[in-house]
Amino acid sequence: MKILVPVKRVVDYNVKIRVKPDGSGVELANVKMSMNPFDEISVEEALRLKEAGKAEEIVIVSIGPAKAEETIRTALAMGADRGILIETDEAVEPLAVAKLLKGVVEAEGPSLVIVGKQAIDDDSNQTGQMLAALLGWGQATFASKLELSADKATVTREVDGGLQTIDVKLPAIVTTDLRLNEPRYASLPNIMKAKKKPLDKKSPADFGVDVAARLKVLKTEEPEGRKAGIKVKSVAELVDKLKNEAGVL
Ligand code: AMP
């Protein structure tokens, strides 16, 4: 069985985001970029399935600038087998990403695509669902547990009311939630080895997909700063303030 894992290059989750002075977007110059954390979880899950003998090959795909090759190499250093970079300097929206991934799926024929729940830059939470719709495949979103058998995946999902377990027939799309696993770090020897693993380069035109933006960003603003808090001396004072000042009790 082949598993396809899309990985996105995003601003590192430790970086404090700054809005560009002209409000046209978020500052990306000289900012540390890393693999989207949910995609690290997807790569880890695919590796565990391979180590358990449930999968033979893990293919990584990223859509982004030439530097997204580094993100693919990180996944290869974690243990994935090969990569595909669909190179573009455009900021590609989820629908165009899903159309490109559909093209990759048709060319590669994976039985399972493990997609992150959301990219932490745009927080769209759309790509996996759109890909399932475009392919006409089943989907299990927000997975916190995944078990594979020959023809189905059994997925425990994090839903508002708690946990829900469903079966989805393969081929399928699974999107990963935070509690699914803890991704491993790549070791130095594996980082060196990953430099030699195969990586194909493509362009959106190879898949006949127009990646031009459909959405227009009107303005980007910093959220309002939080007001300073105060310390109270006793529970009675806290209750009094909640009742008489905040009016929440
Ligand atoms: P989103 O719908 O933008 O929140 O992204 C959800 C997931 O789709 C991410 O965690 C990735 O697995 C995948 N994805 C989104 N954009 C890209 C991209 N440019 N390249 C590869 N995968 C992507």
Side-chain angles (χ1 to χ4, degrees), residues 94-95 97-103 105-106 113 115 125-141 168 171-175:
L95 181 59
V97 172
K99 287 179 183 170
L100 289 167
L101 292 178
K102 176 174 184 265
V105 166
E106 284 165 353
V113 186
V115 186
N125 181 354
Q126 293 175 351
T127 306
Q129 295 89 329
M130 285 175 166
L131 178 61
L134 291 174
L135 288 167
W137 287 12
Q139 59 179 305
T141 49
V168 57
I173 311 292
V174 170
T175 78

Side-chain angles (χ1 to χ4, degrees), residues 16-135:
K16 182 166 182 333
I17 300 293
R18 277 175 299 120
V19 172
K20 283 188 191 163
D22 65 0
S24 63
V26 162
E27 194 62 76
L28 293 180
N30 303 317
V31 169
K32 181 171 189 267
M33 306 289 283
S34 300
M35 189 189 304
N36 183 43
F38 289 100
D39 301 345
E40 286 182 341
I41 294 172
S42 307
V43 174
E44 176 65 36
E45 196 63 18
L47 293 173
R48 290 185 190 188
L49 289 168
K50 189 177 171 191
E51 285 158 0
K54 301 267 169 80
E56 283 85 48
E57 192 184 26
I58 302 169
V59 181
I60 304 296
V61 55
S62 190
I63 297 138
K67 285 208 156 179
E69 177 172 342
E70 289 167 12
T71 315
I72 297 177
R73 295 271 174 219
T74 304
L76 299 179
M78 287 169 75
D81 297 291
R82 63 188 170 88
I84 303 168
L85 169 63
I86 305 176
E87 201 177 321
T88 169
D89 287 325
E90 301 273 342
V92 187
E93 292 166 1
L95 181 59
V97 172
K99 287 179 183 170
L100 289 167
L101 292 178
K102 176 174 184 265
V104 176
V105 166
E106 284 165 353
E108 292 285 339
S111 305
L112 183 66
V113 186
I114 310 182
V115 186
K117 163 171 100 167
Q118 70 195 63
I120 61 163
D121 51 1
D122 60 18
D123 280 334
S124 296
N125 181 354
Q126 293 175 351
T127 306
Q129 295 89 329
M130 285 175 166
L131 178 61
L134 291 174
L135 288 167

Side-chain angles (χ1 to χ4, degrees), residues 216-236:
K216 196 167 147 204
V217 176
L218 300 180
K219 199 162 69 170
T220 309
E221 285 178 282
E222 296 269 357
E224 216 178 283
R226 282 179 67 179
K227 293 199 189 87
I230 55 157
K231 266 193 182 163
V232 291
K233 289 201 179 68
S234 65
V235 173

